[in-house]
Amino acid sequence: MHKYHLLLILFIFGIGQAKSQDKSTIEIGAKHQLYSIILDEEREFWISLPESYGSEESTYKKYPLLIVLDGSSFFHPITGMVNYMGRIGKIPEMIVVGIQNVSRTRDFTPDKIVTARENDFGGGDNFLAFLEKELIPKLDQEYRTEPYRILSGHSLGGLLATHTYMKENTIFNSFIAIDPSFGSWDAETMDKKLKAVSPQSFNRYIYFATANWGKRNIRNRDRHVRLFESLNSQCEGEFPAKLEYFENEDHSSVPMIAFHNGITSIFEGYGIPYRDVENKEQLTKHFKDISNRLSWTFAPPENLVNRIGYSKLQSRDEAEKSQALEFFILNTENYPASYNAFDSLGEAYELVGDTSKAIAKYEKSLSLNPNNGHAKMKVEELKKKE
């Protein structure tokens, strides 16, 4: 048995055991509905907010948006994975939205196809219009969203993700296409679509996963490789994308491991260990490189910078302590609405003996959060020493 499958079974078994022992509920999201004028129907979607979303320290934060197609199948496992990876700093924390299906053959296929039996293929662009013009604007209005959006889909959902990536205009920034079903894209159709790709697509990131289809594997892999290599040849400079083949996974077993690798690929380098950071310039350049690759500004995470600052502040080396200030200042520059960033900077100034600046930063922290008892206590304590 593969190690991944064994871990998954143990995980599911553990959940079952917990349920049998504790009748209280654990909620990971909420169901919502929206009537779509574009689709002329009621649509259900599920939302999971990051663990930090409701905390007092994070009220200023905005979060990227992850749209998950086939939500009834993938919302629960992907939500758990994203929340954990966000918590440990491997990826940014994000809001996860699982879209429930009405007709996946209609919504996930971009092209009309003539078949012996009547079908409803070809509604992909209409469905995308629902996502981009109705659902996401609603989410932006009701939640603290960052306008960085990821679309993830498997099979026909992967086809729609690929189609969206190749469109000239879309509000999505990155894509995870898991074993996309390109059966309706013969060589002529694919060439036509590739010819229409504009340079705008290469400002986005896309991850492709290919599963092992057994006897039909060569045909499946060839389609994926052909598209990937053609896009790569059209891109000027480094192609912001990755294609990964899973020899030991089939079409049904590949989604979770591929999603993990895909979201990791998008945010490669985001979870840099704090011990690997030598100075502010190195850290700033590291995240500038990530931002350039993703065509979006990602600042060094506040928690990471705070941890670096405190590690240097505790050093016996005076030069290290002085360097710590640079990191705390960087946090206040990147997160000017964070009371905790200014509280930490106040503490740093206090420890290096600059009382007046320490008071000023603590007072700034209090102005952002009057309930910050630590800053209030420190202001009173330091003013008595002046």
Side-chain angles (χ1 to χ4, degrees), residues 2-9 81 249 253-257:
H2 299 312
K3 181 180 179 182
Y4 170 76
H5 292 146
L6 178 61
L7 289 173
L8 182 60
I9 290 170
M81 195 183 301
E249 307 296 337
S253 68
V254 76
M256 289 304 98
I257 189 171

Side-chain angles (χ1 to χ4, degrees), residues 213-230:
W213 282 52
K215 292 180 180 180
R216 294 183 293 162
N217 199 40
I218 293 177
R219 189 176 180 185
N220 180 60
R221 288 185 69 183
D222 279 352
R223 287 191 177 117
H224 294 165
V225 171
R226 185 172 186 273
L227 180 74
F228 183 87
E229 292 299 337
S230 297

